[in-house]
Amino acid sequence: MIVAKFGGTSVGAIAEIDRAARIVQSMHNEKPLVVLSAMARVTDGLLNAGEAALAGKARERDDILWEIRGRHDQVILELLKNRATAESVRQVLGAVWEEMQKVFTGVSLLREMSTRSRDLISSFGERLITPIFAAYLGELGLRAQDVDARQFIITSEESEFMLVDFDETRKRCQKLVKVAKSGVVPVITGFICSTPEGVTTTLGRGGSDYSASIIGSCIQASEIQIWTDVNGVMTADPRIVPEASVLERVSYKEAAEMSYFGAKVLHPKTIMPAADEKIPIRIKNSFAPDAPGTLITAETPVHLHGVKTVTSITALMMVSVEGRGMIGVPGVAGRVFTTTAQHKISVLMFSQGSSEQHISLVVSRNDGDDTVKALRREFSSEIERRRIDRVLGVSDIAIIALVGEGMKGLPGVAARAFGILGDAGVNILMIAQGSSELNLSFVVKQKDAPRAVQLLHHAFELDALRV
Ligand code: ADP
Ligand code: ASP
Ligand code: MG
């Protein structure tokens, strides 16, 4: 059995859905389980409609929702030639549509949108596309069944953060194994899941990749395929570096690092379930299915200069706690982390100078002001006594990361990187290296980020890379 996930652009319009369905048809002997994202831009649209409802802008809310409905109706009309099939899909979507209207009306009336409502709102995109896709596979002569992942992927109740209960999910997924083995293709909603009480929740934006690997690991698939709109994992984001090359092989560790540091092609959580079960992940282009794609496994060739990709994350804030009075005072770093944890702020990067005068962390820009406020409160008495001079937030910064297994034990990577950036006048605000020596990450001003990525890509000869 293989799991094949198609992203938003791969099911973004009629021609794309047709192409994706034919790819599934071509792998029919391998007993595929299909995982789908919402059509391109639908999840964004739903969330925007939610914001409009919250702001009391009913007209804007309805315009967005009708546009979403119109797109799906059009697909049904043009794609499904069998009238009875089209009619039954319309009925299924009609029920989803009714639920949507109730939820959005609720937000408009209450002028309130909790995390729970937001999750429910963003779940509709995946629920609208799977019935259409399953019906179309039927028209291509396959047996297919639309599957709501909320019945299968269950979160753990032990944590307030979203964690998947793999034992429960594995148990439930056995049903899908039976379906697939009987020759029926399950067409499963990506991104969404449910709590043990049956409340709708999601795996986070871009989370359909993670859905695929959760299901793949729970059914012991022979391969997890991520079908997207590029030829594979590339040496850099092709929108920043047009000459970026496709990597034929990447290790689980490299893929985890590069996705964590901004390579959007994979959701960062995708790797672990697959790596635990040693299931290969293959990234493929649904617009060019014959291209070999990227294979992600435990082992990988390394590159001459060690580095395989240059990635970046923007929209961040760097927060520093500074003061000479911190020297030798135990527990400052501990209190910084306790404070961020208490406020549920996720820290992307952390560094402390050896003189202990300076602790810096990087958080998402959305969490930036809260982080500064919380740390000022936490250290208020130290600030008053001048043991800490200040807690400072610097916005508009970016993290740049170099990733590659070949960097391990290879001297000169940092020198080459910082030399190039120094020559180009790009100022480096903070540096961190993972102890695994698999990545070197540093902070620059956001305006410098694209140029820094391009310079590094060139300096490590990644345009010519073929591994
Ligand atoms: P999907 O909708 O299929 O999940 P995404 O938009 O989430 O697709 O991810 C694919 C996009 O990721 C590509 O179009 C590309 O612009 C971007 N991307 C960023 N970094 C990389 C990288 N290192 N390799 C490949 N693609 C990348
Ligand atoms: N549709 C969801 C999103 O836009 C999940 C995904 O695309 O993977 O975030
Ligand atoms: Mg994606």
Side-chain angles (χ1 to χ4, degrees):
M1 287 177 298
I2 58 175
V3 174
K5 175 258 170 177
F6 293 87
T9 34
S10 300
V11 291
I14 294 156
E16 284 73 13
I17 296 173
D18 175 54
R19 202 176 290 125
R22 288 178 195 279
I23 291 170
V24 175
Q25 190 182 31
S26 73
M27 58 174 72
H28 187 228
N29 289 339
E30 292 162 278
K31 308 231 175 318
L33 289 88
V34 173
V35 174
L36 297 186
S37 292
M39 289 177 80
R41 302 183 310 281
V42 166
T43 312
D44 286 339
L46 289 165
L47 288 167
N48 291 339
E51 293 301 331
L54 186 62
K57 298 177 184 164
R59 176 81 194 274
E60 194 179 317
R61 173 200 71 190
D62 291 343
D63 284 349
I64 302 172
L65 294 179
W66 280 107
E67 197 267 336
I68 291 174
R69 183 169 193 176
R71 272 176 76 190
H72 288 85
D73 283 347
Q74 192 66 23
V75 174
I76 297 174
L77 187 72
E78 290 185 33
L79 200 62
L80 302 178
K81 300 295 177 219
N82 181 309
R83 274 210 182 162
T85 314
E87 197 37 50
S88 78
V89 172
R90 268 191 206 105
Q91 269 179 21
V92 174
L93 293 202
V96 179
W97 182 248
E98 238 172 67
E99 184 187 335
M100 274 169 76
Q101 282 190 314
K102 283 188 194 142
V103 174
F104 280 96
T105 308
V107 173
S108 291
L109 288 173
L110 294 168
R111 303 287 292 271
E112 185 181 78
M113 189 160 60
S114 62
T115 310
R116 223 181 231 206
S117 323
R118 203 178 296 265
D119 278 350
L120 182 57
I121 279 176
S122 56
S123 78
F124 290 115
E126 274 69 10
R127 292 163 61 194
L128 289 170
I129 190 65
T130 48
I132 301 177
F133 197 90
Y136 187 55
L137 287 181
E139 293 210 350
L140 293 183
L142 303 185
R143 284 190 297 147
Q145 185 183 319
D146 164 30
V147 173
D148 189 327
R150 292 175 299 172
Q151 307 297 324
F152 296 91
I153 303 182
I154 307 299
T155 59
S156 149
E157 52 193 336
E158 282 150 38
S159 165
E160 54 185 315
F161 298 106
M162 200 289 302
L163 289 178
V164 172
D165 179 343
F166 274 88
D167 289 337
E168 182 60 27
T169 301
R170 191 172 299 112
K171 236 186 269 163
R172 295 191 183 210
C173 281
Q174 297 322 302
K175 245 193 197 166
L176 295 178
V177 173
K178 277 198 193 131
V179 173
K181 284 194 171 158
S182 74
V184 175
V185 182
V187 179
I188 308 162
T189 52
F191 181 53
I192 65 176
C193 51
S194 99
T195 69
E197 297 81 32
V199 176
T200 300
T201 173
T202 74
L203 297 169
R205 292 306 307 269
S208 297
D209 301 332
Y210 187 33
S211 306
S213 90
I214 293 168
I215 293 168
S217 82
C218 287
I219 67 160
Q220 299 273 325
S222 55
E223 186 166 288
I224 296 162
Q225 299 186 345
I226 306 291
W227 290 84
T228 182
D229 58 0
V230 283
N231 274 345
V233 177
M234 302 177 82
T235 48
D237 184 341
R239 286 167 301 188
I240 301 176
V241 184
E243 62 277 17
S245 0
V246 177
L247 294 158
E248 280 170 29
R249 300 287 304 268
V250 167
S251 73
Y252 291 129
K253 283 184 187 163
E254 287 171 336
E257 293 290 324
M258 52 182 81
S259 56
Y260 178 82
F261 284 109
K264 193 191 168 213
V265 64
L266 266 184
H267 186 279
K269 287 187 176 170
T270 311
I271 307 301
M272 216 173 35
D276 284 350
E277 302 293 332
K278 301 193 174 53
I279 301 171
I281 301 175
R282 203 182 287 276
I283 315 289
K284 295 274 289 176
N285 189 348
S286 70
F287 296 81
D290 294 332
T294 301
L295 183 62
I296 306 173
T297 57
E299 303 294 327
T300 178
V302 295
H303 180 231
L304 179 66
H305 298 297
V307 176
K308 264 192 189 172
T309 59
V310 189
T311 59
S312 59
I313 321 178
T314 51
L316 304 173
M317 189 189 263
M318 182 172 73
V319 181
S320 310
V321 181
E322 301 170 9
R324 278 162 301 160
M326 282 162 62
I327 298 176
V329 178
V332 177
R335 283 168 63 194
V336 168
F337 276 121
T338 309
T339 307
T340 50
Q342 271 166 356
H343 289 78
K344 300 195 181 81
I345 291 164
S346 127
V347 176
L348 281 96
M349 196 172 147
F350 175 84
S351 111
Q352 174 170 24
S354 63
S355 73
E356 299 181 28
Q357 290 183 30
H358 203 120
I359 288 178
S360 303
L361 43 131
V362 177
V363 297
S364 145
R365 185 168 58 201
N366 296 338
D367 291 332
D369 291 339
D370 289 345
T371 310
V372 171
K373 263 190 226 149
L375 289 174
R376 282 191 183 145
R377 214 173 305 129
E378 170 65 25
F379 291 106
S380 57
S381 77
E382 283 83 354
I383 293 171
E384 217 167 88
R385 284 182 280 137
R386 307 218 164 201
R387 298 190 78 165
I388 286 178
D389 296 333
R390 57 181 185 169
V391 175
L392 183 71
V394 179
S395 43
D396 296 328
I397 58 137
I399 296 179
I400 309 277
L402 301 174
V403 176
E405 298 243 25
M407 288 163 66
K408 242 176 262 175
L410 187 74
V413 173
R416 184 189 288 251
F418 299 146
I420 286 288
L421 296 181
D423 290 347
V426 174
N427 194 19
I428 294 167
L429 306 168
M430 175 177 165
I431 302 171
Q433 177 170 37
S435 58
S436 59
E437 283 189 63
L438 200 70
N439 81 69
L440 176 67
S441 44
F442 42 90
V443 170
V444 299
K445 280 272 177 203
Q446 183 163 303
K447 68 173 175 42
D448 291 333
R451 197 160 53 102
V453 170
Q454 287 154 3
L455 286 166
L456 292 166
H457 192 269
H458 187 67
F460 286 95
E461 296 175 30
L462 298 179
D463 356 13
L465 184 60
R466 286 276 168 266
V467 285

